[in-house]
Amino acid sequence: MSNTWLIPREELTPTQLRAIELDPSENRIILGGPGSGKTQILLHRGQYLMEQHCCKSENFHIFVYTKALRTYIQSALPLLGLEDEVISTLDSWCMDFYRQHIGGSTPWNKKSKQPDFFAIRKSVLDKLQSNGKKFFDFVLVDEAQDLNTDAFQLLTTMARHVTVCADHKQQIYDNGSDIPAILQQLDIRRNNITLLETYRCCPYIVQLASHLIEDLSERNEYVRQLRTSQGERETPLLAYAKDAQDEKEQLIDLVRTRLAKGERVAVLFPQRRQAYGYAKAFTEADIEVENPKNLDFTSDKPKLMPYHSAKGLTFDSVIMPRLGKKSFGSIDSERIMRLLFVGITRATKWVALLTVGDEQFKPLKSLLSGAKQGCLTIRRLEDCQVGNTPDDQIDEQLQEDDILDIL
């Protein structure tokens, strides 16, 4: 499969081109919803700034929040003449910097049994400040809304120029930053460019995802941004299963159907461990898939991953099973709705939602109103029952997902 997700620069819109060529004499922020082209702009801006300012690849860097998005972007870097090393997550870069320029044992959080990212970032910031010089000519940051305010101090200390892309509707991690806080940390007086058009998602997907935006004015504005015409008249699907086994069988059938159409498919889960468990079921059904550890975005194989890993990615079809409160542990409904918003808007053509009869699940109830507008087909089964998983076990697994995604 070719890197079809990267759009040639000559095919971008005038607004997107203007964002690419923003003067780097001050820090910049680019705002836009799903499908507005933020990641496209970030990559082309990296190439543009490198060429315009005769910058070597080691003198600039692209930061993303997850390993999956890093791998996804790396699949297109050769088309722009950029090297794989120019992109990483912020915390993996900080850990490498710590080992190379500070030395000693990497700080460890005994309570959470993981690297102490706060202490590592603080040590890196202190080292950069003591050096008194910038490490990079410029850095570019995708999904900036998921960084905390301390991260922006680190970015402005390491680089002469910082450009960030953000969308507050897709802020799904704890301790993220709202837009006013980002503007303040980067010393930006106002939004530089807001991308007001959505080009990637089909109308049905945009309309369905809009039901997860609780603010009515913001919801209407999101729908008005749509610039994509509806192709095939295939509405998103909400399918009820009678039990977990039935749900799994429906999922396998749906993936097999989408593959027969020649589509790029992702299956998104609330928990990382579910991606591995379902991968075994697909193998038994003679369907080759990729799990979070072996993602290859140059292949046609379906990708199985948690919602967090899907940030910034694009697929033809997205299928989202295990939609019930217990699958999300103690995460509040507002954050779950943002996770589902991110999941649904990863698709360009079609979305399927699978659940085992949990109609009291608030985010699912929000989506049901889409059926009245003709943007959701509901397939019901009687005698639904919901499986049980201990909530404390789920909460621990969700925390592990966050850590595995950012290194």
Side-chain angles (χ1 to χ4, degrees):
M1 181 179 69
S2 62
N3 296 298
T4 54
W5 67 268
L6 183 66
I7 300 173
R9 184 175 171 181
E10 58 270 18
E11 296 180 16
L12 299 177
T13 68
T15 301
Q16 291 171 333
L17 291 173
R18 187 160 61 90
I20 290 171
E21 298 175 3
L22 285 170
D23 187 346
S25 60
E26 58 183 286
N27 295 330
R28 301 292 185 178
I29 183 169
I30 301 168
L31 304 179
S36 58
K38 297 186 300 298
T39 303
Q40 303 275 349
I41 289 169
L42 207 67
L43 287 181
H44 284 290
R45 181 163 172 77
Q47 182 191 45
Y48 171 79
L49 291 177
M50 185 177 70
E51 293 176 350
Q52 290 294 312
H53 299 275
C54 300
C55 178
K56 297 181 180 179
S57 60
E58 61 266 26
N59 292 335
F60 81 95
H61 207 77
I62 300 172
F63 288 111
V64 296
Y65 205 86
T66 67
K67 294 190 298 182
L69 183 54
R70 179 201 64 195
T71 304
Y72 181 75
I73 291 177
Q74 282 177 334
S75 69
L77 291 181
L79 301 178
L80 297 172
L82 303 178
E83 301 175 3
D84 285 354
E85 291 73 21
V86 304
I87 184 170
S88 71
T89 66
L90 180 60
D91 283 311
S92 66
W93 183 88
C94 285
M95 290 185 69
D96 288 342
F97 183 95
Y98 189 99
R99 296 186 184 105
Q100 295 177 22
H101 301 279
I102 298 174
S105 300
T106 304
W108 185 259
N109 188 320
K110 294 182 179 179
K111 183 177 180 180
S112 59
K113 299 179 181 180
Q114 65 188 33
D116 190 335
F117 297 112
F118 176 81
I120 294 171
R121 287 187 185 184
K122 181 64 169 58
S123 297
V124 171
L125 176 62
D126 291 342
K127 182 68 173 180
L128 291 170
Q129 289 176 331
S130 67
N131 287 343
K133 61 179 182 179
K134 302 295 184 181
F135 199 85
F136 294 116
D137 291 333
F138 64 91
V139 296
L140 311 174
V141 184
D142 204 3
E143 307 291 350
Q145 73 278 349
D146 286 319
L147 296 175
N148 61 24
T149 54
D150 292 338
F152 293 101
Q153 183 182 11
L154 178 58
L155 292 169
T156 55
T157 301
M158 72 170 68
R160 294 184 176 86
H161 168 78
V162 179
T163 291
V164 302
C165 292
D167 176 18
H168 73 94
K169 296 188 296 300
Q170 299 187 66
Q171 198 252 302
I172 61 174
Y173 285 91
D174 293 332
N175 304 317
S177 300
D178 58 24
I179 302 306
I182 296 175
L183 293 173
Q184 181 179 5
Q185 291 296 317
L186 296 180
D187 194 25
I188 299 174
R189 293 184 293 276
R190 59 185 177 82
N191 299 346
N192 297 137
I193 284 186
T194 300
L195 305 169
L196 296 177
E197 291 89 9
T198 298
Y199 296 97
R200 183 182 71 207
C201 303
C202 79
Y204 284 148
I205 291 173
V206 171
Q207 291 164 12
L208 181 63
S210 72
H211 291 281
L212 295 167
I213 303 174
E214 294 190 299
D215 184 270
L216 185 58
S217 61
E218 187 175 338
R219 178 189 301 177
N220 292 334
E221 178 61 29
Y222 172 63
V223 173
R224 284 195 297 269
Q225 293 174 2
L226 179 65
R227 294 294 182 273
T228 307
S229 60
Q230 184 67 49
E232 297 182 28
R233 304 295 293 180
E234 187 175 20
T235 58
L237 172 69
L238 169 59
Y240 288 89
K242 61 183 179 181
D243 54 35
Q245 181 61 32
D246 181 40
E247 183 187 48
K248 186 177 295 184
E249 291 173 0
Q250 289 193 48
L251 171 61
I252 291 172
D253 287 342
L254 289 172
V255 169
R256 185 176 280 116
T257 299
R258 307 320 292 189
L259 290 176
K261 291 176 175 284
E263 294 182 351
R264 296 173 298 117
V265 181
V267 183
L268 305 183
F269 299 91
Q271 303 175 48
R272 177 179 293 268
R273 72 174 184 87
Q274 292 168 340
Y276 293 105
Y278 275 73
K280 181 179 179 181
F282 277 104
T283 300
E284 293 172 350
D286 293 324
I287 300 177
E288 290 187 80
V289 297
E290 295 171 3
N291 63 47
K293 282 187 177 180
N294 67 349
L295 296 175
D296 177 4
F297 292 101
T298 64
S299 84
D300 294 317
K301 296 176 184 177
K303 319 299 185 212
L304 276 57
M305 66 185 78
Y307 290 105
H308 297 84
S309 296
K311 289 291 294 292
L313 309 185
T314 302
F315 303 92
D316 296 321
S317 288
V318 169
I319 305 174
M320 299 159 56
R322 309 295 294 174
L323 291 182
K325 174 59 181 172
K326 289 189 176 181
S327 292
F328 292 89
S330 61
I331 297 178
D332 60 69
S333 293
E334 181 180 353
R335 186 178 173 194
I336 293 173
M337 290 176 74
R338 290 199 299 268
L339 284 169
L340 298 185
F341 179 85
V342 167
I344 290 173
T345 55
R346 298 310 92 202
T348 62
K349 296 181 178 180
W350 188 72
V351 171
L353 314 170
L354 300 177
T355 186
V356 184
D358 191 2
E359 290 199 38
Q360 300 305 311
F361 186 39
K362 179 184 175 182
L364 196 58
K365 292 174 66 177
S366 298
L367 291 171
L368 286 173
S369 58
K372 299 177 182 179
Q373 295 185 346
C375 63
L376 181 66
T377 296
I378 299 177
R379 188 169 72 195
R380 298 182 182 274
L381 285 176
E382 295 181 354
D383 302 324
C384 297
Q385 63 184 42
V386 181
N388 294 314
T389 301
D391 290 347
D392 55 348
Q393 179 184 350
I394 290 174
D395 288 342
E396 182 178 350
Q397 289 158 351
L398 290 172
Q399 291 173 6
E400 290 175 357
D401 282 357
D402 288 353
I403 299 306
L404 291 170
D405 266 325
I406 63 179
L407 287 177

Short mmCIF file of all heavy atoms in Angstrom, two decimals, residues 57-104:
data_model
loop_
_atom_site.label_atom_id
_atom_site.label_comp_id
_atom_site.label_asym_id
_atom_site.label_seq_id
_atom_site.Cartn_x
_atom_site.Cartn_y
_atom_site.Cartn_z
N SER A 57 18.88 18.34 9.14
CA SER A 57 17.85 17.54 9.79
C SER A 57 18.07 17.40 11.29
O SER A 57 17.11 17.31 12.05
CB SER A 57 17.78 16.15 9.15
OG SER A 57 19.02 15.48 9.27
N GLU A 58 19.32 17.44 11.73
CA GLU A 58 19.58 17.31 13.16
C GLU A 58 19.27 18.59 13.93
O GLU A 58 19.29 18.60 15.17
CB GLU A 58 21.03 16.88 13.43
CG GLU A 58 22.07 17.87 12.94
CD GLU A 58 22.58 17.52 11.55
OE1 GLU A 58 21.82 16.88 10.79
OE2 GLU A 58 23.72 17.91 11.23
N ASN A 59 18.95 19.67 13.22
CA ASN A 59 18.70 20.95 13.88
C ASN A 59 17.22 21.29 14.00
O ASN A 59 16.86 22.41 14.35
CB ASN A 59 19.42 22.08 13.14
CG ASN A 59 20.93 21.97 13.26
OD1 ASN A 59 21.44 21.38 14.22
ND2 ASN A 59 21.65 22.51 12.30
N PHE A 60 16.34 20.32 13.68
CA PHE A 60 14.92 20.53 13.94
C PHE A 60 14.30 19.20 14.33
O PHE A 60 14.89 18.13 14.13
CB PHE A 60 14.21 21.14 12.74
CG PHE A 60 13.84 20.15 11.66
CD1 PHE A 60 12.57 19.58 11.61
CD2 PHE A 60 14.76 19.78 10.69
CE1 PHE A 60 12.24 18.67 10.63
CE2 PHE A 60 14.43 18.87 9.69
CZ PHE A 60 13.16 18.31 9.67
N HIS A 61 13.09 19.27 14.90
CA HIS A 61 12.47 18.04 15.38
C HIS A 61 10.95 18.16 15.34
O HIS A 61 10.40 19.26 15.50
CB HIS A 61 12.92 17.72 16.81
CG HIS A 61 12.87 16.27 17.15
ND1 HIS A 61 13.82 15.37 16.72
CD2 HIS A 61 11.97 15.54 17.85
CE1 HIS A 61 13.52 14.15 17.17
NE2 HIS A 61 12.38 14.23 17.85
N ILE A 62 10.29 17.02 15.13
CA ILE A 62 8.83 16.94 15.16
C ILE A 62 8.44 16.08 16.36
O ILE A 62 8.92 14.94 16.49
CB ILE A 62 8.27 16.32 13.87
CG1 ILE A 62 8.68 17.15 12.65
CG2 ILE A 62 6.75 16.20 13.95
CD1 ILE A 62 8.33 16.50 11.32
N PHE A 63 7.61 16.63 17.22
CA PHE A 63 7.15 15.89 18.40
C PHE A 63 5.69 15.49 18.24
O PHE A 63 4.85 16.31 17.86
CB PHE A 63 7.30 16.73 19.67
CG PHE A 63 8.73 16.91 20.11
CD1 PHE A 63 9.34 18.15 20.02
CD2 PHE A 63 9.46 15.84 20.61
CE1 PHE A 63 10.66 18.32 20.42
CE2 PHE A 63 10.78 16.01 21.01
CZ PHE A 63 11.38 17.25 20.92
N VAL A 64 5.40 14.23 18.52
CA VAL A 64 4.02 13.72 18.54
C VAL A 64 3.80 13.07 19.90
O VAL A 64 4.75 12.84 20.66
CB VAL A 64 3.76 12.72 17.41
CG1 VAL A 64 3.89 13.41 16.06
CG2 VAL A 64 4.72 11.53 17.49
N TYR A 65 2.54 12.75 20.20
CA TYR A 65 2.25 12.26 21.55
C TYR A 65 2.31 10.75 21.68
O TYR A 65 2.49 10.23 22.78
CB TYR A 65 0.88 12.77 22.03
CG TYR A 65 0.78 12.84 23.53
CD1 TYR A 65 1.22 13.96 24.22
CD2 TYR A 65 0.27 11.77 24.25
CE1 TYR A 65 1.15 14.01 25.60
CE2 TYR A 65 0.20 11.82 25.64
CZ TYR A 65 0.65 12.94 26.30
OH TYR A 65 0.58 12.99 27.68
N THR A 66 2.14 10.00 20.58
CA THR A 66 2.11 8.55 20.68
C THR A 66 3.09 7.88 19.72
O THR A 66 3.43 8.44 18.68
CB THR A 66 0.70 7.99 20.39
OG1 THR A 66 0.39 8.21 19.01
CG2 THR A 66 -0.35 8.65 21.27
N LYS A 67 3.49 6.68 20.06
CA LYS A 67 4.36 5.90 19.19
C LYS A 67 3.68 5.56 17.88
O LYS A 67 4.31 5.51 16.84
CB LYS A 67 4.80 4.61 19.90
CG LYS A 67 5.68 4.82 21.11
CD LYS A 67 6.26 3.50 21.58
CE LYS A 67 5.18 2.53 22.01
NZ LYS A 67 5.73 1.26 22.52
N ALA A 68 2.37 5.29 17.95
CA ALA A 68 1.65 4.92 16.73
C ALA A 68 1.66 6.06 15.72
O ALA A 68 1.87 5.84 14.53
CB ALA A 68 0.21 4.53 17.08
N LEU A 69 1.43 7.29 16.19
CA LEU A 69 1.45 8.44 15.28
C LEU A 69 2.86 8.67 14.74
O LEU A 69 3.03 9.03 13.57
CB LEU A 69 0.94 9.69 16.00
CG LEU A 69 0.83 10.96 15.14
CD1 LEU A 69 0.00 10.73 13.90
CD2 LEU A 69 0.26 12.12 15.97
N ARG A 70 3.86 8.43 15.56
CA ARG A 70 5.25 8.54 15.08
C ARG A 70 5.49 7.56 13.93
O ARG A 70 6.04 7.93 12.88
CB ARG A 70 6.21 8.24 16.23
CG ARG A 70 7.69 8.28 15.84
CD ARG A 70 8.54 7.52 16.83
NE ARG A 70 8.20 6.10 16.83
CZ ARG A 70 8.57 5.24 17.77
NH1 ARG A 70 9.25 5.66 18.82
NH2 ARG A 70 8.23 3.96 17.69
N THR A 71 5.08 6.30 14.11
CA THR A 71 5.26 5.29 13.08
C THR A 71 4.47 5.64 11.82
O THR A 71 4.95 5.47 10.69
CB THR A 71 4.82 3.90 13.60
OG1 THR A 71 5.56 3.60 14.79
CG2 THR A 71 5.07 2.82 12.57
N TYR A 72 3.27 6.14 12.02
CA TYR A 72 2.40 6.54 10.90
C TYR A 72 3.07 7.63 10.08
O TYR A 72 3.15 7.56 8.84
CB TYR A 72 1.08 7.03 11.49
CG TYR A 72 0.03 7.47 10.50
CD1 TYR A 72 -0.69 6.54 9.76
CD2 TYR A 72 -0.29 8.82 10.34
CE1 TYR A 72 -1.69 6.93 8.88
CE2 TYR A 72 -1.28 9.22 9.47
CZ TYR A 72 -1.98 8.27 8.74
OH TYR A 72 -2.96 8.67 7.88
N ILE A 73 3.58 8.66 10.74
CA ILE A 73 4.22 9.77 10.03
C ILE A 73 5.53 9.32 9.38
O ILE A 73 5.86 9.73 8.27
CB ILE A 73 4.45 10.95 10.99
CG1 ILE A 73 3.10 11.57 11.38
CG2 ILE A 73 5.36 12.01 10.37
CD1 ILE A 73 3.20 12.70 12.39
N GLN A 74 6.27 8.45 10.05
CA GLN A 74 7.53 7.98 9.48
C GLN A 74 7.32 7.27 8.15
O GLN A 74 8.21 7.29 7.29
CB GLN A 74 8.23 7.04 10.48
CG GLN A 74 8.94 7.78 11.61
CD GLN A 74 9.56 6.84 12.61
OE1 GLN A 74 9.12 5.70 12.78
NE2 GLN A 74 10.60 7.29 13.30
N SER A 75 6.14 6.68 7.96
CA SER A 75 5.88 5.98 6.70
C SER A 75 5.85 6.93 5.51
O SER A 75 5.98 6.49 4.36
CB SER A 75 4.55 5.22 6.79
OG SER A 75 3.44 6.12 6.82
N ALA A 76 5.67 8.23 5.74
CA ALA A 76 5.60 9.20 4.65
C ALA A 76 6.82 10.12 4.57
O ALA A 76 6.96 10.87 3.61
CB ALA A 76 4.34 10.06 4.80
N LEU A 77 7.70 10.07 5.55
CA LEU A 77 8.85 10.98 5.57
C LEU A 77 9.74 10.88 4.32
O LEU A 77 10.23 11.91 3.84
CB LEU A 77 9.69 10.75 6.83
CG LEU A 77 9.06 11.17 8.16
CD1 LEU A 77 10.03 10.90 9.31
CD2 LEU A 77 8.65 12.63 8.14
N PRO A 78 9.97 9.68 3.75
CA PRO A 78 10.80 9.61 2.55
C PRO A 78 10.25 10.43 1.39
O PRO A 78 11.02 10.93 0.56
CB PRO A 78 10.81 8.12 2.22
CG PRO A 78 10.58 7.43 3.52
CD PRO A 78 9.62 8.33 4.25
N LEU A 79 8.93 10.60 1.33
CA LEU A 79 8.34 11.39 0.24
C LEU A 79 8.70 12.87 0.35
O LEU A 79 8.62 13.60 -0.63
CB LEU A 79 6.81 11.24 0.26
CG LEU A 79 6.29 9.80 0.10
CD1 LEU A 79 4.78 9.78 0.18
CD2 LEU A 79 6.76 9.21 -1.22
N LEU A 80 9.10 13.29 1.54
CA LEU A 80 9.47 14.69 1.76
C LEU A 80 10.98 14.86 1.93
O LEU A 80 11.45 15.96 2.20
CB LEU A 80 8.75 15.22 3.02
CG LEU A 80 7.22 15.25 2.93
CD1 LEU A 80 6.64 15.61 4.30
CD2 LEU A 80 6.76 16.23 1.88
N GLY A 81 11.71 13.77 1.79
CA GLY A 81 13.17 13.86 1.95
C GLY A 81 13.59 14.04 3.39
O GLY A 81 14.68 14.57 3.66
N LEU A 82 12.75 13.61 4.35
CA LEU A 82 13.06 13.74 5.77
C LEU A 82 13.45 12.39 6.34
O LEU A 82 12.99 11.34 5.89
CB LEU A 82 11.86 14.31 6.52
CG LEU A 82 11.33 15.67 6.05
CD1 LEU A 82 10.11 16.08 6.86
CD2 LEU A 82 12.42 16.74 6.14
N GLU A 83 14.28 12.39 7.37
CA GLU A 83 14.77 11.16 7.97
C GLU A 83 13.90 10.75 9.15
O GLU A 83 13.27 11.59 9.80
CB GLU A 83 16.22 11.34 8.42
CG GLU A 83 17.17 11.71 7.29
CD GLU A 83 18.59 12.00 7.78
OE1 GLU A 83 18.81 11.85 9.00
OE2 GLU A 83 19.44 12.35 6.95
N ASP A 84 13.89 9.46 9.45
CA ASP A 84 13.08 8.94 10.56
C ASP A 84 13.44 9.59 11.89
O ASP A 84 12.58 9.76 12.77
CB ASP A 84 13.26 7.43 10.69
CG ASP A 84 12.51 6.66 9.61
OD1 ASP A 84 11.76 7.30 8.84
OD2 ASP A 84 12.68 5.42 9.54
N GLU A 85 14.69 9.96 12.05
CA GLU A 85 15.16 10.47 13.34
C GLU A 85 14.60 11.85 13.69
O GLU A 85 14.74 12.29 14.83
CB GLU A 85 16.70 10.54 13.35
CG GLU A 85 17.40 9.19 13.36
CD GLU A 85 17.32 8.47 12.03
OE1 GLU A 85 17.09 9.16 11.00
OE2 GLU A 85 17.48 7.24 12.00
N VAL A 86 13.95 12.52 12.74
CA VAL A 86 13.46 13.87 13.03
C VAL A 86 12.16 13.85 13.84
O VAL A 86 11.67 14.89 14.24
CB VAL A 86 13.23 14.69 11.74
CG1 VAL A 86 14.48 14.76 10.91
CG2 VAL A 86 12.04 14.16 10.93
N ILE A 87 11.61 12.66 14.11
CA ILE A 87 10.33 12.60 14.81
C ILE A 87 10.40 11.63 15.99
O ILE A 87 11.03 10.58 15.92
CB ILE A 87 9.19 12.20 13.85
CG1 ILE A 87 7.85 12.22 14.56
CG2 ILE A 87 9.44 10.84 13.23
CD1 ILE A 87 6.67 12.07 13.63
N SER A 88 9.75 12.01 17.09
CA SER A 88 9.67 11.15 18.27
C SER A 88 8.59 11.69 19.19
O SER A 88 8.04 12.76 18.96
CB SER A 88 11.01 11.11 19.02
OG SER A 88 11.25 12.36 19.66
N THR A 89 8.30 10.95 20.25
CA THR A 89 7.47 11.51 21.31
C THR A 89 8.37 12.38 22.19
O THR A 89 9.59 12.20 22.21
CB THR A 89 6.83 10.42 22.17
OG1 THR A 89 7.85 9.71 22.89
CG2 THR A 89 6.03 9.44 21.30
N LEU A 90 7.77 13.31 22.90
CA LEU A 90 8.57 14.21 23.74
C LEU A 90 9.27 13.45 24.86
O LEU A 90 10.46 13.69 25.14
CB LEU A 90 7.67 15.30 24.33
CG LEU A 90 8.36 16.33 25.24
CD1 LEU A 90 9.45 17.08 24.48
CD2 LEU A 90 7.34 17.31 25.83
N ASP A 91 8.56 12.51 25.48
CA ASP A 91 9.18 11.81 26.61
C ASP A 91 10.28 10.85 26.17
O ASP A 91 11.28 10.69 26.88
CB ASP A 91 8.11 11.06 27.40
CG ASP A 91 7.29 11.99 28.29
OD1 ASP A 91 7.91 12.79 29.00
OD2 ASP A 91 6.06 11.93 28.25
N SER A 92 10.16 10.23 25.01
CA SER A 92 11.25 9.37 24.55
C SER A 92 12.47 10.22 24.20
O SER A 92 13.61 9.81 24.47
CB SER A 92 10.81 8.54 23.34
OG SER A 92 10.56 9.36 22.21
N TRP A 93 12.26 11.43 23.63
CA TRP A 93 13.38 12.31 23.34
C TRP A 93 14.05 12.75 24.64
O TRP A 93 15.29 12.79 24.72
CB TRP A 93 12.91 13.54 22.57
CG TRP A 93 14.03 14.46 22.18
CD1 TRP A 93 14.81 14.40 21.05
CD2 TRP A 93 14.55 15.57 22.95
NE1 TRP A 93 15.76 15.40 21.06
CE2 TRP A 93 15.63 16.13 22.22
CE3 TRP A 93 14.20 16.13 24.17
CZ2 TRP A 93 16.35 17.23 22.68
CZ3 TRP A 93 14.93 17.22 24.64
CH2 TRP A 93 16.00 17.76 23.89
N CYS A 94 13.26 13.07 25.66
CA CYS A 94 13.82 13.50 26.94
C CYS A 94 14.63 12.39 27.60
O CYS A 94 15.69 12.64 28.18
CB CYS A 94 12.71 13.96 27.88
SG CYS A 94 12.01 15.58 27.49
N MET A 95 14.14 11.15 27.49
CA MET A 95 14.89 10.04 28.07
C MET A 95 16.22 9.83 27.34
O MET A 95 17.26 9.59 27.97
CB MET A 95 14.05 8.76 28.02
CG MET A 95 12.86 8.78 28.98
SD MET A 95 11.94 7.22 29.06
CE MET A 95 13.13 6.16 29.86
N ASP A 96 16.22 9.95 26.02
CA ASP A 96 17.46 9.84 25.26
C ASP A 96 18.42 10.97 25.62
O ASP A 96 19.63 10.75 25.78
CB ASP A 96 17.17 9.86 23.76
CG ASP A 96 16.51 8.58 23.27
OD1 ASP A 96 16.60 7.56 23.99
OD2 ASP A 96 15.90 8.60 22.18
N PHE A 97 17.89 12.19 25.72
CA PHE A 97 18.72 13.35 26.09
C PHE A 97 19.33 13.14 27.47
O PHE A 97 20.51 13.43 27.70
CB PHE A 97 17.87 14.62 26.06
CG PHE A 97 18.66 15.88 26.35
CD1 PHE A 97 19.17 16.65 25.31
CD2 PHE A 97 18.88 16.29 27.66
CE1 PHE A 97 19.90 17.81 25.57
CE2 PHE A 97 19.60 17.45 27.94
CZ PHE A 97 20.11 18.20 26.88
N TYR A 98 18.51 12.64 28.40
CA TYR A 98 18.99 12.40 29.77
C TYR A 98 20.17 11.43 29.76
O TYR A 98 21.20 11.68 30.40
CB TYR A 98 17.84 11.86 30.62
CG TYR A 98 18.16 11.79 32.09
CD1 TYR A 98 17.72 12.80 32.96
CD2 TYR A 98 18.90 10.73 32.64
CE1 TYR A 98 18.01 12.74 34.32
CE2 TYR A 98 19.20 10.67 33.98
CZ TYR A 98 18.75 11.68 34.83
OH TYR A 98 19.05 11.64 36.17
N ARG A 99 20.03 10.34 29.02
CA ARG A 99 21.10 9.34 28.99
C ARG A 99 22.37 9.89 28.35
O ARG A 99 23.48 9.59 28.80
CB ARG A 99 20.62 8.11 28.22
CG ARG A 99 19.44 7.38 28.86
CD ARG A 99 19.15 6.10 28.11
NE ARG A 99 17.96 5.41 28.63
CZ ARG A 99 16.79 5.40 28.02
NH1 ARG A 99 16.65 6.01 26.85
NH2 ARG A 99 15.76 4.76 28.55
N GLN A 100 22.24 10.72 27.30
CA GLN A 100 23.39 11.20 26.55
C GLN A 100 24.07 12.41 27.18
O GLN A 100 25.30 12.54 27.11
CB GLN A 100 22.96 11.56 25.12
CG GLN A 100 22.48 10.38 24.29
CD GLN A 100 21.99 10.79 22.92
OE1 GLN A 100 22.35 11.85 22.41
NE2 GLN A 100 21.16 9.95 22.30
N HIS A 101 23.30 13.30 27.80
CA HIS A 101 23.85 14.58 28.26
C HIS A 101 23.84 14.78 29.77
O HIS A 101 24.47 15.71 30.27
CB HIS A 101 23.08 15.74 27.60
CG HIS A 101 23.13 15.73 26.11
ND1 HIS A 101 24.21 16.21 25.39
CD2 HIS A 101 22.24 15.27 25.18
CE1 HIS A 101 23.97 16.08 24.10
NE2 HIS A 101 22.80 15.51 23.95
N ILE A 102 23.14 13.91 30.50
CA ILE A 102 23.09 14.04 31.95
C ILE A 102 23.74 12.83 32.60
O ILE A 102 24.60 12.95 33.46
CB ILE A 102 21.64 14.23 32.44
CG1 ILE A 102 21.05 15.52 31.85
CG2 ILE A 102 21.59 14.27 33.97
CD1 ILE A 102 19.59 15.74 32.15
N GLY A 103 23.32 11.65 32.17
CA GLY A 103 23.94 10.42 32.66
C GLY A 103 23.36 9.96 33.99
O GLY A 103 22.53 10.62 34.62
N GLY A 104 23.84 8.80 34.43
CA GLY A 104 23.33 8.23 35.67
C GLY A 104 22.04 7.47 35.44
O GLY A 104 21.55 7.33 34.32
#
